Amino acid sequence: MNELLKLLENDARLSPESLALMLDKEVGDIKTIIEDYENAGVILGYQTIIDWDKTDAEETVSAIIEIKITPQREHGYDRVAQKIYNYPEVESVYLMSGGYDLSVSIKGKTMREVALFVAERLAPIDGVLSTATHFVLRKYKDNGVVYGVTPVDERGMMM
Amino acid sequence: MDYSRILSSTVQDIKPSGIRKFFDLLENMQGVVALTVGQPDFITPWHIRVAAIESLENGKTYYTSNSGTLELRQEISSYMNRRYDLTYDPKSEVIVTVGGSEAIDIAIRALINPGDEVIVPQPAFVCYGPICELAGGKPVYLNTKEENKFKLTAEELKSVITDKTKLLVLPYPNNPTGAIMTSEDLEEIAEVLRGTDIMILSDEIYCELTYGREHVSIASLDGMRERTIIASGFSKTYAMTGWRLGYTLAPPEITKQMLKIHQYAIMCAPTTSQYAAVEAMRNGDPDVAMMRKEYNRRRRYIVGGLRSIGIECFDPEGAFYVYPNISKFGLTSEEFCERLLQEEKVAIVPGTAFGDCGEGFARISYAYSVEHIAKALDRMERFVKKL
C-alpha cells in the first residue's frame, strides 16, 4: 500500500473514508492498515506545514550545519549523531556522503542563539572535528510545497 | 446600421452557447466552489515547458511547415503506433492543428457538402453541430441513454441513417458523461458502417484518460481506417490546454484536402508549442500515468461521495467528468444548478448545456484537488437535504 502512504504523506488529513473511496478499499481495512503502519513505525507522525513568516509569531532563524567527525570504533557515526539529535533544538540529522559527514538543521530565535548552540553544544562533542554553519536566508520550497505562493485557479471557463 | 441584414445569416442562426449566462453569473460571485472547468488542473510538466523555453532561446520563432514540423509528426505517428497499434504516415496522413478544436473544424469542413447530414450523438461537447452548420451541413442529433451507459448503439445509429448521411461524430471518451466505447461497442458500430460511404470523425482528445481499460480507436477495427478521421491533441493528455495543439490523422486523400483549409485559415500551429509537444511525446509517459492515477482516485472519490449523499451517478470510465442523474429532486437541471450556486455557492454545469437530452443531469468536473471536491460535496449534501 505504498499508494496509501504517498497520499498520507501529501495530506495527512485525508479521512479513512476518503482514502477508502480513492483507493477502492473498505474503510475498516484502511483503518487497520494505518494502525499497523503506526505500530510498526512506518508512519512516525503527522505534522502541519506552516509558513511562519506569514504569522505574527516571533521570528526564528534556521541554519544548516555541516559537521566533520571522526568515526568511533564499533559505533561509527552513530554515537555522535545521537549526542546531537537528542538536543530538542535540532530538527534533523543526516549522515552524508561527500565533503562532510553530518548535516544538522537547527532552528533558533536569533542568529546569536544558533551560533552559541553550535559553539557550546556541538563543537565540543568528542569526535567532532569541525563545523560550518550556514544560515537559511529564504525558504523557497520545503516538503514539496512552494512558499509564499497562494495558488489561484486561473483556468478559463471552457466546456 | 441594421447589422442583422449585413451579417452572415448562417452565423446569426447559430445559437450562442447556452452555458455562457451561467458562467457569467458565476464569474460575478465570490467564494464559489466551482466544479465546472473542462481542463486539467495540473500545470504542464516542467520538462515540457523547458523544451519550449529552450526552443525560444535557440531562436525557433519562425512558421513551421503547414502540417507541422516533421519531427513532431513522426512522434505523433510513432505514438499512435505504440499506443493504439495504428500506422499513419507522418508525411501524408498527419496535420498538426491549433488544438483538437481546429482538427474537428477542418475534418468537418473537408467532408461536408451543403445538405449533408452529420450524426452527432448527445450529450457531447458542443462544437460539432455549429461547425457542421457553418459548412452548410445538417447536424442530426442522436440522444444516447443512461441505461446504455451513454454509449452509442447500433440500433440508435441505424435509426438516423439516411441517404444524406455523410459523417458520424464519435465523441468518446465522452465529455460530459465520462462514457467510453469498448472494442465490442465499436465493432457493433463498425458493422453498421461497413459497405457504406459514411465517414467517421473520432474525437479522441481524452484517449489517455480512461480508467480500468485502455482506449480503443475505431480506426483500428477492420475496414474503418479508410473512413476515419481521428481528431486528438495534447491538451488533456499532457495538461497543455493553453498551448493550443492538436492533430488529425486520416488517409492521404482526406489529409490533402484538410491541409488546404488549415493552410489558408491557420498557416501552421504555434511553433513553440510544437517543440514542447515533441518533448511531451518522447518523455511524457510517466507524467500521463501520474495524472491518470490521480484522476482515477478523484473519480472514485467523487462517485462514492455523490452516491453517499443520495445523488445517483453512473460509473464514468473516461475523461474527468461525472454526470449524475438529478431528476429525482424535482427541479430542472438549470434550476438545480442555479439554486445550488445561489444557496450553497457550488457551481456545476446543467446537463442541458450539452443538448436537450441533458435535462435531468449535471456535469461535474473532477479536475480539482480532493480537498476542493470534498468541500463541494459537503455543501451539496446540505443542499440536497433541503430539497
Side-chain angles (χ1 to χ4, degrees), chain B residues 38-199:
Chain B
Q39 53 173 323
D41 59 322
F42 297 101
I43 298 170
T44 309
W46 180 235
H47 67 100
I48 297 173
R49 285 185 276 158
V50 166
I53 294 165
E54 277 174 5
S55 80
L56 290 172
E57 284 176 349
N58 293 330
K60 313 283 190 192
T61 56
Y62 38 70
Y63 298 128
T64 67
S65 80
N66 289 127
S67 49
T69 64
L70 183 59
E71 190 185 23
L72 177 56
R73 281 177 284 145
Q74 278 163 343
E75 287 300 329
I76 293 168
S77 170
S78 73
Y79 165 84
M80 288 310 288
N81 195 266
R82 79 186 147 89
R83 292 291 288 132
Y84 304 111
D85 203 19
L86 281 161
T87 308
Y88 284 98
D89 174 22
K91 291 209 170 112
S92 63
E93 297 185 308
V94 183
I95 304 173
V96 179
T97 59
V98 179
S101 305
E102 195 221 338
I104 293 165
D105 183 35
I106 61 174
I108 291 176
R109 284 204 274 167
L111 287 169
I112 298 307
N113 287 317
D116 284 349
E117 292 181 357
V118 177
I119 300 172
V120 181
Q122 284 193 323
F125 182 56
V126 289
C127 76
Y128 313 111
I131 291 175
C132 166
E133 283 166 8
L134 284 172
K138 184 182 160 219
V140 176
Y141 295 107
L142 187 164
N143 295 341
T144 58
K145 297 190 184 68
E146 189 184 21
E147 68 247 38
N148 298 327
K149 295 183 164 183
F150 295 105
K151 293 168 192 282
L152 173 66
T153 68
E155 289 313 308
E156 289 165 344
L157 176 59
K158 277 187 217 156
S159 73
V160 291
I161 289 178
T162 70
D163 52 7
K164 290 195 180 126
T165 303
K166 167 68 67 71
L167 175 66
L168 164 67
V169 177
L170 209 53
Y172 294 95
N174 182 269
N175 169 12
T177 64
I180 61 160
M181 293 282 279
T182 65
S183 56
E184 296 78 40
D185 301 327
L186 291 171
E187 179 49 41
E188 269 191 47
I189 302 303
E191 194 45 41
V192 177
L193 300 181
R194 282 187 190 110
T196 72
D197 280 338
I198 300 173
M199 304 293 294

Side-chain angles (χ1 to χ4, degrees), chain A residues 3-158:
Chain A
E3 202 181 347
L4 170 73
L5 289 174
K6 278 183 186 150
L7 286 172
L8 281 176
E9 186 178 36
N10 197 41
D11 182 0
R13 292 194 308 166
L14 287 170
S15 67
E17 289 75 17
S18 302
L19 288 164
L21 283 173
M22 290 161 79
L23 299 170
D24 204 11
K25 292 256 187 299
E26 296 298 323
V27 180
D29 293 346
I30 294 286
K31 286 182 178 164
T32 316
I33 296 168
I34 292 176
E35 230 178 273
D36 289 348
Y37 278 139
E38 288 169 346
N39 292 336
V42 174
I43 295 177
L44 293 167
Y46 302 89
Q47 295 187 329
T48 307
I49 302 165
I50 297 167
D51 188 349
W52 285 106
D53 291 348
K54 284 193 175 160
T55 68
D56 55 6
E58 233 175 289
E59 249 181 75
T60 57
V61 288
S62 307
I64 291 164
I65 298 137
E66 296 172 3
I67 303 181
K68 288 185 185 161
I69 56 182
T70 322
Q72 292 173 320
R73 190 185 299 275
E74 285 177 39
H75 300 292
Y77 298 99
D78 299 350
R79 269 268 166 88
V80 179
Q82 190 193 2
K83 279 187 184 158
I84 293 172
Y85 69 60
N86 278 336
Y87 285 105
E89 293 88 338
V90 171
E91 297 211 316
S92 69
V93 180
Y94 302 136
L95 179 62
M96 312 295 290
S97 66
Y100 58 97
D101 303 307
L102 293 181
S103 168
V104 174
S105 65
I106 288 179
K107 210 184 250 180
K109 285 198 188 81
T110 60
M111 284 169 88
R112 187 181 147 76
E113 188 184 282
V114 172
L116 278 178
F117 177 80
V118 175
E120 291 174 358
R121 305 285 182 196
L122 300 188
I125 292 172
D126 263 354
V128 168
L129 293 174
S130 70
T131 66
T133 305
H134 306 273
F135 285 101
V136 175
L137 300 182
R138 183 169 174 188
K139 217 186 262 187
Y140 288 103
K141 188 178 182 182
D142 202 10
N143 289 299
V145 180
V146 176
Y147 275 59
V149 181
T150 316
V152 180
D153 195 344
E154 291 175 341
R155 290 177 287 168
M157 295 282 187
M158 299 292 168

Side-chain angles (χ1 to χ4, degrees), chain B residues 169-304:
Chain B
V169 177
L170 209 53
Y172 294 95
N174 182 269
N175 169 12
T177 64
I180 61 160
M181 293 282 279
T182 65
S183 56
E184 296 78 40
D185 301 327
L186 291 171
E187 179 49 41
E188 269 191 47
I189 302 303
E191 194 45 41
V192 177
L193 300 181
R194 282 187 190 110
T196 72
D197 280 338
I198 300 173
M199 304 293 294
I200 302 166
L201 169 57
S202 188
D203 182 352
E204 305 184 11
I205 192 81
Y206 290 99
C207 63
E208 286 284 0
L209 299 181
T210 61
Y211 313 103
R213 53 183 129 199
E214 292 278 332
H215 169 75
V216 180
S217 174
I218 194 162
S220 63
L221 270 56
D222 220 21
M224 291 299 112
R225 188 189 186 281
E226 58 174 13
R227 69 178 68 242
T228 302
I229 302 173
I230 294 175
S232 193
F234 296 82
S235 295
K236 319 293 174 171
T237 300
Y238 300 100
M240 291 178 71
T241 49
W243 301 78
R244 308 311 306 123
L245 208 64
Y247 48 89
T248 58
L249 301 163
E253 296 79 0
I254 304 172
T255 297
K256 204 169 152 190
Q257 302 305 322
M258 289 194 296
L259 189 57
K260 285 196 277 185
I261 308 171
H262 175 76
Q263 173 185 330
Y264 290 124
I266 301 290
M267 312 257 299
C268 72
T271 303
T272 312
S273 304
Q274 293 189 50
Y275 280 95
V278 168
E279 169 65 20
M281 287 208 140
R282 278 189 192 152
N283 299 310
D285 285 1
D287 305 301
V288 178
M290 181 278 291
M291 290 190 265
R292 185 190 300 117
K293 200 168 186 182
E294 180 59 32
Y295 286 130
N296 195 14
R297 285 187 201 125
R298 299 169 180 183
R299 179 184 71 97
R300 288 192 293 245
Y301 179 74
I302 200 165
V303 170

